[in-house]
Amino acid sequence: MATIPTLGAERTPGHTVSRAATRELLGRATYDLLVIGGGILGTATAWTAAQAGLKVAMVDAGDFAGATSSASSKLVHGGLRYLQTGAVKLVAENHKERRALATDVAPHLVNPLTFFVPVYKGGPHSAPKLGAGVFLYSALSAFRDGMGRVSTAAHAAQQVPALRTENLRSVAVYGDHQMNDARMAVMTVRAAVEAGAVVLNHAEVTGLRFTRGRVTGAELKDRLDGSEFGVDARLVLNATGPWVDHLRKLEDAGSAPSIRLSKGAHVVVKRRSPWRAALTIPIDKYRVSFAIPWEDHVLLGTTDEEYTGDPLDVRATEADVDQILSEAGHAIRDEHLRREDITYSFAGLRVLPGGPGDTAAAKRETVVTEGRGGMLSVAGGKWTTYRHIGRVVLEKLKHAPGVGLAEDVSPIPATVPLPGIGAPNAVAHRLLIDREPGSRMDPLIARHLASHYGTLSFDLARLIAEDPALGEPVHPDGPDVWAQVAYAADSEWAYTVDDVLRRRTTMTVRGLDTPEVRERVAAFLAGRGKA
């Protein structure tokens, strides 16, 4: 590997404020809204509230999207399986949000993807039933991703060479989208900050502040240097996902549990042949599993089972991996599912409303509750509708009794794009042609940057122009370059090796975060004043 790049004296434009300066900002003012939790719900609400003119602070005990929100199936989808329960209106609403993300909000991060549903002899569904289902599914999106239809087994095998063809009768075809959830989260945090929010990750809430019985802020500890500080706020939103009841206990020790958890595990395997489509694999009458081409690999999963342990301990077990590989084997040939080709496995926790019954059948809905001390707690959500959820939660915040936020909230535009919006193909083309004489960028790297940063890729290109060593790959087998590490540290709130390798780049997913790479990234961050 190349040596660690040198560190220039200049920082990238728009670099993040130091942690000490951020702590001072948080501690010296009273905010309209303090959002605790920087996952899907927290980032969406912080972004929306800041757009509406509120003075917003957001903190997270770990990294932004460091838990479940970066452990999803990476899909922006209408929810084909919801049609089986008759949730036609829900699917239509999901499609509306999906199209907004793909066309107006984040076309640089959300990519169209064709899905095949294989129909095997003796399988749980017939071709006519699935054909009708995917036709209705595409009709609910006004056929903007093409018309759902039934195609031939030969066509499917041509598009997905790994497909098992024995007893394959036909395939149903429909369109959806995918994205890199960790990158979506970072871009949303950036959008919130550009709208005026103050944010800090790796900042743990150790207690709540009360004024005459109402929650009016929080005590915090900086997990990186141990500093203690506090934040005052007119209203506090608990958006801590699997930890939502833990924070509710700090407000009211006698509060009853409000949620239950379902674990979803995934496995990432090396792609041994080109995949031009994803697979939605029927497991039984109600469950499906996915096989999705993602980051030059294939993402497999997911599971759905009740979880009662510590959220910090959630992980993909050997039993999870066995189940995922077995279910993928319904439609994928064995040679494409070898254990030695697994590069990464992970698990996240779905937050579901409390109650009896199987978690797989539980409603995927967002619940907002108000505690004894006036703290609002929000739980349950997904990436497809996260923007809509942020607006729904803002409406709840406006009408929180005894706060008076409604008069301070201004109308916001129907659609606000995320930073970096631009056509990835056009950005990649410019990265290749707009360069210094004698310099060259690998087309694979250009495409990688364009599809993860959009027009912000030009900031990375400037870093590389100033220090060509930053254009070198962090690992020779992947497209992530050292400029991404520098940019993560300077402009994307990355402080730890995991922040960089797992969530700001694709190193971990590709199985490239070797001990040597981790050591070199740690040294780089230390030189950047981040570790």
Side-chain angles (χ1 to χ4, degrees):
M1 292 186 183
T3 58
I4 298 174
T6 57
L7 306 180
E10 295 297 320
R11 295 295 179 94
T12 56
H15 69 269
T16 55
V17 178
S18 72
R19 294 185 68 81
T22 301
R23 290 195 302 266
E24 183 183 353
L25 279 173
L26 291 170
R28 73 183 184 199
T30 297
Y31 288 82
D32 295 321
L33 175 66
L34 168 62
V35 179
I36 302 173
I40 293 173
L41 298 178
T43 57
T45 303
W47 180 30
T48 306
Q51 289 178 63
L54 294 183
K55 188 176 182 64
V56 178
M58 180 176 71
V59 296
D60 193 289
D63 188 20
F64 301 125
T68 296
S69 296
S70 60
S72 75
S73 295
K74 325 300 180 187
L75 295 178
V76 178
H77 64 132
L80 178 64
R81 73 181 184 90
Y82 300 155
L83 290 180
Q84 281 202 225
T85 63
V88 174
K89 182 180 179 182
L90 174 63
V91 173
E93 291 172 349
N94 288 351
H95 273 312
K96 179 181 178 182
E97 282 300 303
R98 177 175 69 90
R99 294 301 308 174
L101 287 175
T103 58
D104 301 318
V105 178
H108 51 314
L109 304 173
V110 177
N111 306 302
L113 185 62
T114 299
F115 283 75
F116 293 149
V117 188
V119 181
Y120 290 96
K121 180 181 179 181
H125 303 292
S126 66
K129 178 182 177 181
L130 282 174
V134 297
F135 179 83
L136 173 59
Y137 187 72
S138 57
L140 291 171
S141 69
F143 300 109
R144 290 176 180 167
D145 295 286
M147 183 180 295
R149 66 193 189 282
V150 174
S151 188
T152 65
H155 171 71
Q158 182 184 47
Q159 298 296 302
V160 184
L163 184 65
R164 191 182 292 278
T165 55
E166 310 94 275
N167 298 316
L168 180 62
R169 295 291 182 82
S170 60
V171 295
V173 185
Y174 67 96
D176 258 329
H177 287 77
Q178 68 176 165
M179 51 82 192
N180 182 312
D181 48 15
R183 294 295 318 160
M184 281 282 286
V186 169
M187 290 294 197
T188 305
V189 173
R190 181 168 181 145
V193 170
E194 290 181 356
V198 178
V199 304
L200 189 66
N201 51 357
H202 303 290
E204 178 184 5
V205 170
T206 57
L208 297 176
R209 290 183 169 182
F210 293 84
T211 302
R212 293 185 293 277
R214 283 192 59 85
V215 177
T216 54
E219 305 293 345
L220 294 110
K221 180 178 181 179
D222 190 322
R223 283 183 163 182
L224 299 187
D225 67 4
S227 300
E228 295 182 352
F229 63 104
V231 181
D232 291 318
R234 295 166 65 189
L235 186 63
V236 175
L237 179 70
N238 170 15
T240 53
W243 293 272
V244 69
D245 281 341
H246 170 75
L247 200 61
R248 289 176 65 244
K249 290 279 189 184
L250 294 182
E251 177 189 28
D252 176 9
S255 62
S258 65
I259 62 165
R260 54 184 174 147
L261 304 175
S262 168
K263 185 174 81 167
H266 295 81
V267 170
V268 181
V269 297
K270 292 178 181 177
R271 188 170 63 184
R272 298 173 62 83
S273 59
W275 284 54
R276 297 183 180 87
L279 299 178
T280 300
I281 306 168
I283 302 305
D284 54 36
K285 189 176 180 180
Y286 299 102
R287 280 198 67 239
V288 300
S289 190
F290 293 109
I292 304 166
W294 187 66
E295 303 293 2
D296 304 321
H297 289 62
V298 177
L299 177 68
L300 304 173
T302 179
T303 60
D304 194 337
E305 61 182 23
E306 187 171 10
Y307 184 83
T308 57
D310 187 335
L312 287 174
D313 295 333
V314 67
R315 57 181 50 83
T317 64
E318 283 299 309
D320 293 329
V321 173
D322 288 341
Q323 177 185 338
I324 291 168
L325 293 179
S326 174
E327 292 180 347
H330 284 51
I332 300 173
R333 298 202 307 273
D334 292 344
E335 62 267 29
H336 296 270
L337 297 171
R338 302 188 310 178
R339 279 185 169 270
E340 55 265 38
D341 286 338
I342 295 175
T343 59
Y344 186 48
S345 62
F346 60 93
L349 295 171
R350 304 177 189 90
V351 180
L352 307 174
D358 184 6
T359 56
K363 289 185 177 180
R364 268 54 173 171
E365 60 185 16
T366 303
V367 178
V368 182
T369 58
E370 182 182 358
R372 176 180 291 181
M375 181 174 71
L376 294 184
S377 294
V378 57
K382 62 180 184 177
W383 276 114
T384 302
T385 54
Y386 90 116
R387 196 177 63 110
H388 171 71
I389 292 169
R391 292 168 186 246
V392 169
V393 174
L394 180 62
E395 283 299 309
K396 297 281 188 180
L397 299 176
K398 280 170 55 177
H399 302 294
V403 182
L405 284 183
E407 59 192 33
D408 298 323
V409 173
S410 301
I412 62 175
T415 303
V416 176
L418 287 178
I421 187 171
N425 288 338
V427 172
H429 179 67
R430 280 191 55 192
L431 289 172
L432 291 173
I433 64 172
D434 292 352
R435 61 186 191 275
E436 296 296 322
S439 65
R440 178 182 179 276
M441 181 177 287
D442 186 307
L444 289 177
I445 293 175
R447 177 66 190 176
H448 175 72
L449 296 180
S451 60
H452 290 78
Y453 299 84
T455 57
L456 299 181
S457 300
F458 304 132
D459 291 342
L460 282 85
R462 282 188 283 272
L463 286 174
I464 294 170
E466 295 168 3
D467 184 354
L470 292 175
E472 295 295 319
V474 181
H475 188 289
D477 294 338
D480 292 295
V481 295
W482 282 103
Q484 292 175 253
V485 183
Y487 195 74
D490 290 348
S491 303
E492 294 186 335
W493 305 277
Y495 296 95
T496 72
V497 172
D498 278 340
D499 290 351
V500 172
L501 297 182
R502 185 177 180 272
R503 289 174 291 274
R504 305 304 187 280
T505 69
T506 63
M507 297 292 292
T508 297
V509 169
R510 299 172 189 274
L512 302 178
D513 62 346
T514 63
E516 182 185 359
V517 164
R518 295 184 72 85
E519 182 179 342
R520 297 173 71 235
V521 169
F524 187 96
L525 292 175
R528 217 75 174 177
K530 296 288 180 174

